[in-house]
């Protein structure tokens, strides 16, 4: 018996990630569990990897396209017993489309959990935060149940979060039964002992978690085993995979050499935002991938190209800056026309320096001044970095840009082998970069230049999914 389901919710913050992690660990103890994450998320997948003991993969219909989502899901679920797909935001939240942009009466919503469930025919399990709620759960579920049917979706069951007591749970369950709605499969008690630290991007990346992570995940799994009817969950989510009509897309590479070129991929606590499909695609193209750490390694590996993903260079700025030997090697590699591709945090690392402002707050003790009055003094530290670009990256204290992006290539990076000129990408950053020299852009977004190119170095704030564009 094969089960697969998409764990969704009415909105962000309902407990999808916590439930996903706990269920993955609980079920992975006796089954092969394949994890997925809807949307362009790097953080949650890092937890999935640990909880499920397998690599988690992103699914995003807007970023990847429907066929690619189907191809990835079909390929990665070949040898597993259970597939758990963690949704993104609320069930129907995705890239906004005006009604006039589609001919469908009820349009699909690209990038949404609903769209993923549609094209994969996945049953839905909805997590609802029931703090301060009892009989009203039926009104919430009824709305999502009816709208799900309009989209051809199967809302198969409900899991309640933040349940205060067995009496509270009984009230929730009775309300759903009264209205003949999908069953309540269990709950996560209020004030559960397992906790996960949060920061700007939600959960901290797996590299930065506390040493008790494994213990916390096991505790969470134990709690769920007591409060969720796992047999019923697997029963209502039995899954017969549809036959996807996916055309074969063999890699057509222009790498006509006898020995595979090597690409060095920066991977450590500072640079950890990569779609695993992208790494796999580079290997299929013929690249031999060699991983190195800008934090720890003093020398570059013997490679013909470099790839710097996003991550947290601002957190490790001092340590990155102190590694002068590697910074010099990267600078020389660029000046010698080595191929380099950098996304977001990698773009920051290639700048001349990184500025970070730290706010120190001190409260006055004078009784004549209100206790709420706070004096702020901003201290700025500047860390020298690779100096490939004459530019200064400045870390801000608020989000600078977030969202899907689409545009065209003015010039293509070294590995972009196909003839397609358009691209879909995702942007998310808290920093700004000030250029101190003129550089040509290599992208155009909304008819405006985007990203910069220097010799054979391509860098921007864009995160690309390029696994399906290398044909």
């Amino acid at each position: 018996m094969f089960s697969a389901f998409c764990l969704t919710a009415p909105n962000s913050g309902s407990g999808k990630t916590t439930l996903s992690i706990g269920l993955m660990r609980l079920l992975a103890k006796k089954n092969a569990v394949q994890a997925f994450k809807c949307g362009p998320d790097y953080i949650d997948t890092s937890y999935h990897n640990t909880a499920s003991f397998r690599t988690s993969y992103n699914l995003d219909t807007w970023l990847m396209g429907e066929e690619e989502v189907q191809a990835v899901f079909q390929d990665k679920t070949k040898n597993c017993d259970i597939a758990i797909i963690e949704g993104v935001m609320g069930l129907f939240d995705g890239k906004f489309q005006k009604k006039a942009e589609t001919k469908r009466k009820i349009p699909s919503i690209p990038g949404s959990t609903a769209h993923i469930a549609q094209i994969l025919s996945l049953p839905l399990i909805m997590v609802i935060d029931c703090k301060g709620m009892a009989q009203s759960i039926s009104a919430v579920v009824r709305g999502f149940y009816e709208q799900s049917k309009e989209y051809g979706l199967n809302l198969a069951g409900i899991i309640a979060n933040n349940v205060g007591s067995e009496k509270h749970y009984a009230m929730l369950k009775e309300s759903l039964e009264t209205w003949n709605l999908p069953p309540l499969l269990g709950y996560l008690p209020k004030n559960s002992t397992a906790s996960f630290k949060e920061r700007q991007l939600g959960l901290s990346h797996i590299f930065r978690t506390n040493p008790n992570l494994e213990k916390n995940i096991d505790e969470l799994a134990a709690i769920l085993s007591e409060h969720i009817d796992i047999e019923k969950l697997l029963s209502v989510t039995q899954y017969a995979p549809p036959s996807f009509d996916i055309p074969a897309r063999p890699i057509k590479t222009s790498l006509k050499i006898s020995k595979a070129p090597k690409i060095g991929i920066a991977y450590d606590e500072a640079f950890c935002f990569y779609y695993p499909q992208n790494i796999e695609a580079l290997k299929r193209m013929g690249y031999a991938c060699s991983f190195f750490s800008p934090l720890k390694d003093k020398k570059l590996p013997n490679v013909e190209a470099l790839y710097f993903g996003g991550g947290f260079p601002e957190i490790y700025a001092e340590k990155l800056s102190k590694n002068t030997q590697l910074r010099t090697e990267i600078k020389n590699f660029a000046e010698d026309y080595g191929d380099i591709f950098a996304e977001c945090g990698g773009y920051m690392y290639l700048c001349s320096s990184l500025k970070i402002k730290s706010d120190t707050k001190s409260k006055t003790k004078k009784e004549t001044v209100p206790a709420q009055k706070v004096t702020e003094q901003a201290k700025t530290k500047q860390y020298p970095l690779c100096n490939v670009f004459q530019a200064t990256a400045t870390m801000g204290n608020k989000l600078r840009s977030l969202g899907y992006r689409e545009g065209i290539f003015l010039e293509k990076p070294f590995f972009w082998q196909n003839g397609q000129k358009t691209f879909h990408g995702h942007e998310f950053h808290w920093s700004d970069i000030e250029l101190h020299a003129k550089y040509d852009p290599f992208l155009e977004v909304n008819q405006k230049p985007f990203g910069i190119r220097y010799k054979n170095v391509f860098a921007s704030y864009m995160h690309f999914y390029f696994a399906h564009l290398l044909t």
Side-chain angles (χ1 to χ4, degrees):
M1 182 179 72
F2 178 60
S3 292
F5 58 91
C6 195
L7 203 63
T8 186
N11 56 277
S12 294
S14 297
K16 294 190 303 293
T17 301
T18 300
L19 264 295
S20 296
I21 293 169
L23 287 173
M24 287 171 190
R25 174 55 62 88
L26 176 60
L27 293 169
K29 289 181 177 181
K30 296 182 179 180
N31 306 275
V33 175
Q34 180 57 60
F36 298 91
K37 170 65 183 181
C38 296
D41 186 286
Y42 298 101
I43 304 295
D44 293 345
T45 52
S46 71
Y47 281 80
H48 295 178
N49 296 344
T50 297
S52 68
F53 311 115
R54 293 165 69 115
T55 300
S56 177
Y57 292 86
N58 296 80
L59 301 174
D60 187 309
T61 51
W62 189 86
L63 197 65
M64 302 163 62
E66 292 184 5
E67 284 185 357
E68 176 70 7
V69 167
Q70 292 171 333
V72 170
F73 185 78
Q74 180 174 269
D75 180 56
K76 304 306 177 185
T77 55
K78 285 178 181 176
N79 300 307
C80 74
D81 305 310
I82 301 168
I84 301 177
I85 300 88
E86 181 188 345
V88 59
M89 300 177 16
L91 175 58
F92 299 104
D93 299 321
K95 189 179 188 300
F96 178 75
Q97 275 189 314
K98 296 179 180 178
K99 191 174 181 181
E101 294 176 354
T102 178
K103 295 180 180 179
R104 299 182 186 180
K105 183 180 178 181
I106 301 177
S108 59
I109 306 170
S112 69
T113 304
H115 197 191
I116 295 291
Q118 272 183 319
I119 66 169
L120 297 178
S121 300
L122 286 165
L124 299 166
I125 301 296
M126 179 164 279
V127 182
I128 297 181
D129 187 342
C130 293
K131 182 180 180 181
M133 179 191 295
Q135 290 90 342
S136 293
I137 189 176
S138 59
V140 175
V141 173
R142 191 180 182 195
F144 277 93
Y145 180 63
E146 293 299 328
Q147 186 154 325
S148 293
K149 287 196 295 184
E150 294 290 338
Y151 279 86
L153 300 174
N154 171 26
L155 182 53
I158 309 298
I159 296 177
N161 190 15
N162 274 319
V163 174
S165 64
E166 284 291 338
K167 183 179 179 181
H168 184 193
Y169 175 68
M171 294 171 67
L172 298 168
K173 187 176 182 180
E174 183 180 4
S175 181
L176 293 179
E177 290 174 346
T178 299
W179 287 91
N180 196 29
L181 291 168
L184 192 57
L185 303 172
Y187 68 97
L188 184 62
K190 184 179 178 182
N191 300 323
S192 296
T193 57
S195 63
F196 300 90
K197 294 182 179 180
E198 295 192 2
R199 66 180 307 272
Q200 294 165 350
L201 302 180
L203 294 171
S204 299
H205 192 276
I206 198 69
F207 271 125
R208 302 194 58 246
T209 55
N210 64 70
N212 296 320
L213 177 64
E214 284 285 347
K215 178 183 176 183
N216 286 348
I217 293 177
D218 282 333
E219 287 178 355
L220 178 57
I223 291 170
L224 295 185
S225 70
E226 294 178 10
H227 297 286
I228 292 180
D229 188 338
I230 296 298
E231 287 189 10
K232 191 169 184 179
L233 169 65
L234 296 179
S235 175
V236 300
T237 58
Q238 288 187 43
Y239 182 72
S243 179
F244 300 123
D245 185 17
I246 305 169
R249 293 181 301 204
I251 293 295
K252 298 176 182 177
T253 177
S254 60
L255 305 175
K256 306 295 185 182
I257 56 177
S258 58
K259 185 179 179 181
K262 294 181 180 179
I263 182 168
I265 301 174
Y267 188 73
D268 57 16
E269 294 92 325
F271 303 99
C272 45
F273 290 179
Y274 297 94
Y275 296 125
Q277 296 99 309
N278 285 353
I279 307 300
E280 292 172 6
L282 289 171
K283 292 177 180 178
R284 294 200 315 271
M285 285 183 64
Y287 282 98
C289 296
S290 178
F291 296 91
F292 70 99
S293 170
L295 288 170
K296 302 170 185 176
D297 293 330
K298 300 301 180 183
K299 292 185 177 182
L300 285 173
N302 183 20
V303 294
E304 289 77 36
L306 296 173
Y307 179 15
F308 294 93
F312 306 104
E314 71 279 4
I315 295 174
Y316 301 97
E318 184 175 4
K319 193 171 181 180
L320 288 169
S321 183
K322 285 182 177 179
N323 194 351
T324 56
Q325 186 174 338
L326 186 68
R327 289 196 290 111
T328 301
E329 287 212 2
I330 293 170
K331 168 69 172 176
N332 293 338
F333 187 90
E335 293 298 335
D336 290 340
Y337 288 85
D339 290 318
I340 300 179
F341 183 66
E343 298 174 324
C344 202
Y347 179 21
M348 295 165 62
Y349 181 56
L350 298 184
C351 291
S352 304
S353 63
L354 171 59
K355 284 183 179 180
I356 300 177
K357 295 179 180 179
S358 58
D359 294 335
T360 58
K361 299 180 179 181
S362 60
K363 291 184 178 180
T364 178
K365 295 183 180 180
K366 293 183 179 180
E367 294 182 1
T368 55
V369 181
Q372 295 89 346
K373 186 173 181 179
V374 175
T375 302
E376 295 188 4
Q377 181 182 6
K379 293 182 180 180
T380 300
K381 291 185 178 180
Q382 189 161 352
Y383 301 94
L385 292 177
C386 293
N387 198 33
V388 172
F389 302 119
Q390 296 180 43
T392 301
T394 302
M395 194 63 196
N397 55 9
K398 64 180 181 179
L399 189 62
R400 300 297 181 183
S401 186
L402 167 66
Y404 289 122
R405 303 287 181 261
E406 57 185 314
I408 62 172
F409 282 102
L410 303 176
E411 296 287 342
K412 293 184 181 179
F414 59 93
F415 58 85
W416 216 279
Q417 297 294 315
N418 76 337
Q420 188 166 333
K421 200 172 182 180
T422 59
F423 71 87
H424 279 187
H426 183 258
E427 193 180 358
F428 191 129
H429 57 94
W430 290 60
S431 65
D432 287 316
I433 291 177
E434 180 184 1
L435 301 177
H436 306 307
K438 184 176 177 59
Y439 297 99
D440 292 330
F442 75 99
L443 303 170
E444 190 176 90
V445 177
N446 295 327
Q447 298 182 331
K448 295 180 180 179
F450 194 93
I452 60 176
R453 178 186 179 183
Y454 172 69
K455 294 187 175 181
N456 288 339
V457 183
F458 294 78
S460 75
Y461 272 122
M462 197 72 66
H463 293 282
F464 292 91
Y465 181 91
F466 54 75
H468 62 316
L469 295 177
L470 301 175
T471 57

